[in-house]
Amino acid sequence: MEILKLFSHEQSEEDLQEIKSLLVTYLSEKVVREADKAYEDKNYTQAVFDKWKKEHFRKVG
């Protein structure tokens, strides 16, 4: 809600770009933390990732 309130006021293009950059940084760091947690929780190894690179995950149908 606070972010929406922030955008209800006129912002300069520079400020909007900075806010977007901050949000992207925050979200990307969050994704990395979650991936690291999954990596540890599921005991993944580099071999698992190498196998996944060669697999086809798209569903057909």
Side-chain angles (χ1 to χ4, degrees):
M1 290 303 295
E2 294 299 317
I3 292 172
L4 291 175
K5 287 179 189 176
L6 174 68
F7 284 110
S8 69
H9 304 287
E10 192 165 328
Q11 304 290 327
S12 70
E13 188 62 33
E14 183 179 309
D15 285 344
L16 290 174
Q17 289 303 319
E18 189 172 347
I19 292 167
K20 288 178 188 178
S21 178
L22 290 168
L23 287 171
V24 167
T25 299
Y26 166 76
L27 293 172
S28 64
E29 289 173 356
K30 186 174 180 178
V31 167
V32 169
R33 284 192 306 271
E34 290 296 318
D36 287 345
K37 184 178 182 306
Y39 181 88
E40 289 183 21
D41 290 350
K42 299 194 185 271
N43 296 316
Y44 289 143
T45 63
Q46 187 59 46
V48 170
F49 292 106
D50 292 341
K51 181 181 176 220
W52 286 352
K53 284 188 221 176
K54 298 173 185 169
E55 290 183 8
H56 177 71
F57 287 103
R58 247 186 308 169
K59 291 183 180 181
V60 178

